[in-house]
């Protein structure tokens, strides 16, 4: 989906803009390398954190759907009062 906000083309794409970060939260009592490798292979020892990011490349803005919704909600009040978005257009 492509939309324009403040002259920037906004591309909504979750495949690019949603990152999943894994961090090991459980560790074995043993400090042996062999045991630590076994624990590192098991998913239950990790916590996953979902991060929504936005990228800007020139006049293009790549965002996730969550960021896009918050961006639109945040701009809704501004768009009502900003002179660029009035029906008469900007006054000079």
């Amino acid at each position: 989906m492509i939309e324009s906000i403040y002259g920037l083309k906004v591309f909504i794409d979750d495949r690019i803009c949603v990152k999943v970060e894994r961090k090991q939260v459980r560790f074995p009592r043993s400090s042996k390398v062999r045991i630590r490798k076994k624990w590192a292979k098991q998913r239950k020892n990790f916590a996953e954190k979902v991060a929504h990011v936005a990228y800007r490349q020139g006049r293009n803005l790549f965002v996730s759907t969550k960021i896009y919704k918050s961006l639109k909600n945040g701009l809704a009040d501004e768009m009502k009062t900003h002179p660029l978005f009035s029906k008469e257009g900007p006054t000079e």
Side-chain angles (χ1 to χ4, degrees):
M1 180 178 189
I2 300 173
E3 192 168 323
S4 180
I5 297 177
Y6 288 124
L8 295 173
K9 287 184 185 177
V10 179
F11 295 91
I12 302 165
D13 193 1
D14 285 337
R15 294 173 295 170
I16 298 171
C17 299
V18 176
K19 303 293 182 197
V20 178
E21 298 172 358
R22 293 176 59 209
K23 183 177 181 182
Q24 190 170 357
V25 292
R26 292 180 63 216
F27 296 93
R29 289 185 181 185
S30 173
S31 61
K32 294 184 179 180
V33 175
R34 181 178 61 87
I35 302 297
R36 288 197 171 262
K37 281 184 182 179
K38 284 184 181 179
W39 277 62
K41 292 178 185 177
Q42 298 174 3
R43 274 184 80 100
K44 67 180 181 179
N45 298 325
F46 286 85
E48 291 183 350
K49 179 182 172 187
V50 177
H52 295 269
V53 294
Y55 298 105
R56 182 175 176 196
Q57 185 178 15
R59 305 290 294 170
N60 300 327
L61 184 66
F62 297 91
V63 296
S64 65
T65 53
K66 184 177 179 181
I67 292 176
Y68 178 73
K69 287 178 183 176
S70 65
L71 184 65
K72 288 298 273 186
N73 290 339
L75 290 176
D77 297 332
E78 186 178 337
M79 289 177 79
K80 292 176 186 173
T81 59
H82 200 278
L84 284 176
F85 298 105
S86 65
K87 291 181 181 177
E88 298 85 32
T91 57
E92 297 181 26

